[in-house]
Amino acid sequence: MHVPAPSVAPAPGRRPKRAVHGVLLLDKPLGLSSNDALQRVRRLLRAEKAGHAGTLDPLATGLLPLCFGAATKFAQLGLEADKGYRAVMQLGVTTTTGDAEGEVLRTRPVQLTLEKIEAAIRQFLGPIEQVPPMHSALKRDGKALYEYARAGVEVEREARRVTIHELRLVDWSGERLEIEVRCSKGTYVRTLAQDIGEALGCGAHLVALRRISSGALGLEGAVALATLEGAGAEAIEARMLPVDALVADRPAVRLSAEEAGRFLSGMRRKIDHPDDELVRVYGPQPAAFLGTARVKAGDLIPLRLLSPVEVEAILHTRTSR
């Protein structure tokens, strides 16, 4: 016989956590880590479960999708999505960290033409090899590379293949160069700036970075942290996108009520749909998002599923607004 666990009252003075489901597009401010920004918003919402879909360094600003409740199940898809950035480079100066926080390593004269800059930028389009910077959170033997760097230890790193889908010059004024880049996951824009600087023969480091897109999500509709801190939990929830926002660009499959119940229990279903590595699946109601699946040879194969309780909670929230 199942014996329910006794409920535990919240500590005196503490408000109880809430089941909140959805995706909030935050315009992360300068100086905060992604996790610090997430925890601030989580406290405002008193949310039970939260995560983010792609780390931004404290020196970077811009789009940080925050996932709450059932949406955290799909945060990994945000981590794996292509990203878009605006980056400002200081030409003629290289630093120990590749950005403005590091010590100056070398200064060189800047003697460039527009043609030379555009030719150098074109070299980095498509698949390229990047050596991860020492000042990064990449782990080696359970320890972040930046910890080795702070101790003055240089660790050998293997080059990794990333893809630069788009790269264009936005502005050039003397020793400042602004670029816009759309790239695959794992790309270090700081390293890209350094490499472009070397291709130009003068060196460079990153002085500003702003994320402008993550997958199909853009800065449009993103909200500043200061705005959220002046609002109540209900006002913040009203700004949230649905749980399926991170997969909104994927093909949709809709199931009958009977088939939806079986799919939610983890069973494969037969459907008439072309093969696809990722589709979003819905029940008969338009807002009844059930989770993600892949399609192979007419089989709808569950990947990440919401629980029936989560589906009901989301439907209730949508209809009560």
Side-chain angles (χ1 to χ4, degrees), residues 27 52 120 179 253 268:
D27 189 344
H52 63 73
I179 58 173
V253 171
R268 296 187 180 198

Side-chain angles (χ1 to χ4, degrees), residues 9 45 54 109 114 120 163 165 183 186 193 202 211 233 249 279 298:
L45 283 166
L114 181 60
T163 302
H165 301 291
C183 52
C202 61
R211 185 189 285 160
D249 59 337
V279 297

Side-chain angles (χ1 to χ4, degrees), residues 1-2 13 39 56-57 83 96 107-108 124 143 149 180 182 217-218 225 237 261 277 283 288 314 321:
M1 181 178 69
H2 173 69
Q39 295 308 325
L56 277 176
D57 288 341
K83 307 293 191 301
T96 53
T107 59
R108 283 175 269 180
F124 294 92
K143 193 174 176 181
E180 188 170 296
R182 186 171 67 86
L217 302 174
L225 182 59
E237 275 193 80
E277 284 303 306
I314 292 166
R321 282 181 180 172

Side-chain angles (χ1 to χ4, degrees), residues 247-287:
V247 292
D249 59 337
R250 301 305 305 166
V253 171
R254 193 166 297 281
L255 301 176
S256 67
E258 183 179 351
E259 290 292 272
R262 290 173 176 167
F263 175 78
L264 270 185
S265 70
M267 297 174 63
R268 296 187 180 198
R269 310 314 306 145
K270 285 290 184 184
I271 62 169
D272 181 15
H273 193 285
D275 286 4
D276 201 309
E277 284 303 306
L278 184 68
V279 297
R280 49 197 170 109
V281 184
Y282 297 83
Q285 294 172 271

Side-chain angles (χ1 to χ4, degrees), residues 284-306:
Q285 294 172 271
F289 177 57
L290 307 178
T292 57
R294 65 186 177 98
V295 183
K296 186 174 182 180
D299 276 347
L300 183 69
I301 305 167
L303 292 175
R304 298 289 288 171
L305 301 177
L306 274 67

Side-chain angles (χ1 to χ4, degrees), residues 82-252:
D82 292 341
K83 307 293 191 301
Y85 298 93
R86 281 277 184 99
V88 179
M89 302 159 50
Q90 174 71 45
L91 301 172
V93 181
T94 55
T95 70
T96 53
T97 59
D99 58 31
E101 283 199 325
E103 298 176 4
V104 173
L105 283 174
R106 186 181 179 189
T107 59
R108 283 175 269 180
V110 179
Q111 297 174 330
L112 300 172
T113 63
L114 181 60
E115 292 73 22
K116 185 174 181 180
I117 292 172
E118 290 180 335
I121 285 175
R122 283 195 296 271
Q123 297 177 35
F124 294 92
L125 275 170
I128 63 169
E129 298 286 323
Q130 272 196 343
V131 176
M134 280 299 301
H135 288 267
S136 70
L138 200 65
K139 295 290 181 66
R140 171 65 64 86
D141 298 327
K143 193 174 176 181
L145 288 181
Y146 64 77
E147 295 182 71
Y148 291 102
R150 289 171 182 170
V153 177
E154 182 84 9
V155 175
E156 187 175 346
R157 291 98 66 207
E158 289 186 8
R160 304 194 303 180
R161 174 155 289 205
V162 297
T163 302
I164 308 300
H165 301 291
E166 296 176 17
L167 181 58
R168 69 180 185 89
L169 175 65
V170 175
D171 189 37
W172 170 46
S173 178
E175 297 179 352
R176 287 285 175 116
L177 188 68
E178 184 174 357
I179 58 173
E180 188 170 296
V181 56
R182 186 171 67 86
C183 52
S184 66
K185 69 168 185 175
T187 302
Y188 289 95
V189 181
R190 190 183 347 158
T191 299
L192 179 64
Q194 289 176 297
D195 291 345
I196 290 173
E198 292 307 314
L200 291 170
C202 61
H205 68 276
L206 196 66
V207 293
L209 182 65
R210 182 162 177 78
R211 185 189 285 160
I212 56 177
S213 67
S214 177
L217 302 174
L219 264 175
E220 307 83 11
V223 60
L225 182 59
T227 300
L228 296 177
E229 290 178 333
E234 288 187 6
I236 297 173
E237 275 193 80
R239 291 178 174 270
M240 281 190 181
L241 300 177
V243 168
D244 57 348
L246 291 174
V247 292
D249 59 337
R250 301 305 305 166

